[in-house]
Amino acid sequence: QVQLVESGGGLVQAGGSLRLSCAASGSISSFNVMGWYRQAPGKQREFVAIITSSGSTSYTSSVKGRFTISRDNVKNTVYLQMNSLKPEDTAVYYCKAEVRSVVRSDDYWGQGTQVTVSS
């Protein structure tokens, strides 16, 4: 069973930075895509950033230029570096791993880590 464990959340002032980590129980090389999603109070979970097994990245427009997703295949960890944080970035951030093949389609989620940005 795949386990994803997020860490690195916390309380930060607007303009500050945080780095989230998502540690996988197995090799992240087996995942086609890994990503970060977030859910603010009273809102639906939304896409933040993804990174593919080949290293391609994609971001939602509101975080482009401020957030950077990266992966370390040796440590089996995906990171989200968040700079210039804004109060609207406040949310629970979730890590997601996807496996896609002809015979398999699985999604795995972490438990989430709280990010709070004060104004």
Side-chain angles (χ1 to χ4, degrees):
Q1 181 70 17
V2 173
Q3 288 188 325
L4 303 174
V5 179
E6 301 101 331
S7 61
L11 173 63
V12 65
Q13 288 188 331
S17 298
L18 284 173
R19 187 177 81 156
L20 305 183
S21 299
C22 172
S25 58
S27 172
I28 64 173
S29 299
S30 63
F31 302 130
N32 300 93
V33 178
M34 294 195 73
W36 289 94
Y37 292 71
R38 65 187 180 187
Q39 187 167 17
K43 296 187 177 181
Q44 290 188 331
R45 192 172 298 187
E46 65 175 2
F47 161 77
V48 176
I50 57 168
I51 185 166
T52 69
S53 55
S54 63
S56 297
T57 60
S58 181
Y59 300 89
T60 189
S61 58
S62 63
V63 308
K64 280 182 180 178
R66 300 188 298 122
F67 291 10
T68 302
I69 189 170
S70 62
R71 59 192 293 162
D72 186 329
N73 290 342
V74 174
K75 295 183 178 180
N76 293 319
T77 301
V78 173
Y79 303 98
L80 185 67
Q81 178 67 43
M82 305 186 295
N83 299 328
S84 302
L85 282 162
K86 305 175 181 180
E88 52 263 44
D89 294 317
T90 295
V92 177
Y93 283 69
Y94 297 91
C95 178
K96 180 185 179 184
E98 302 177 11
V99 177
R100 297 287 184 268
S101 70
V102 175
V103 297
R104 183 183 177 192
S105 178
D106 292 320
D107 293 339
Y108 303 94
W109 291 91
Q111 82 290 347
T113 185
Q114 177 71 47
V115 172
T116 304
V117 185
S118 63
S119 57

